[in-house]
Amino acid sequence: MRLTKSTDLALRVVMALAVSEKSSTAREVAAVMAVPYSHLAKVVARLQHLGLVETRRGRGGGLEITPAGRSASVGRLARELEGAGDVVDCEGATPCPLSAGCLLRGALRTAQEAFYASLDPLTVENLTRSPTGPLLIGLVGRGA
């Protein structure tokens, strides 16, 4: 199973915000994560929609993780960000000729759920413990 770049970035953003003692601007976080600001802005908008990140405009504004963001299950977050799609596209532009009786699709769906289930007990806060937390603090500093 492979996560999209957006999901990977979203997980790294919430982890970075979880260790930051002050709000960080989206531009600061984009620079730290070495990603284009426009890509990070889309990810942050999705995290805000999910209630995991708060954004404030203007002087003293920035990004902050919410209490729900700190305690969010990594498995639930990955499911939300990745969407409900199958691992393989059996019904695409050229539908698979085996789709009427294929056992692979169900097996892959089961494997996908097992992947997410293995992440369910982990929270964002769990992922920021040592040694990761100090590394993140070194990247984002005490305020970003």
Side-chain angles (χ1 to χ4, degrees), residues 7 16 18 21 32 38 40 44 54 70 72 86 93 102 116 127 136 143:
T7 298
E21 293 179 359
V32 166
S38 58
L40 184 109
V44 166
E54 289 180 348
R70 287 184 191 283
D86 285 327
C102 181
Y116 291 137
L127 296 179
L136 285 165

Side-chain angles (χ1 to χ4, degrees), residues 25-110:
T25 68
R27 290 199 188 279
E28 290 168 337
V29 175
V32 166
M33 297 293 172
V35 297
Y37 168 76
S38 58
H39 186 62
L40 184 109
K42 291 175 188 174
V43 167
V44 166
R46 180 82 170 117
L47 291 171
Q48 182 182 16
H49 177 75
L50 293 172
L52 305 175
V53 170
E54 289 180 348
T55 62
R56 285 188 312 282
R57 294 181 182 251
R59 187 177 175 111
L63 309 173
E64 288 187 19
I65 192 165
T66 65
R70 287 184 191 283
S71 63
S73 159
V74 175
R76 182 185 77 70
L77 183 53
R79 279 183 194 89
E80 288 283 337
L81 294 168
E82 288 292 312
D86 285 327
V87 176
V88 293
D89 184 11
C90 300
E91 308 300 327
T94 308
C96 177
L98 302 175
S99 63
C102 181
L103 299 175
L104 179 60
R105 186 179 195 177
L108 290 174
R109 197 174 287 138
T110 300

Side-chain angles (χ1 to χ4, degrees), residues 8-23:
D8 173 45
L9 180 57
L11 292 170
R12 289 186 289 139
V13 166
V14 293
M15 289 170 61
L17 293 176
V19 300
S20 184
E21 293 179 359
K22 295 175 160 181
S23 16

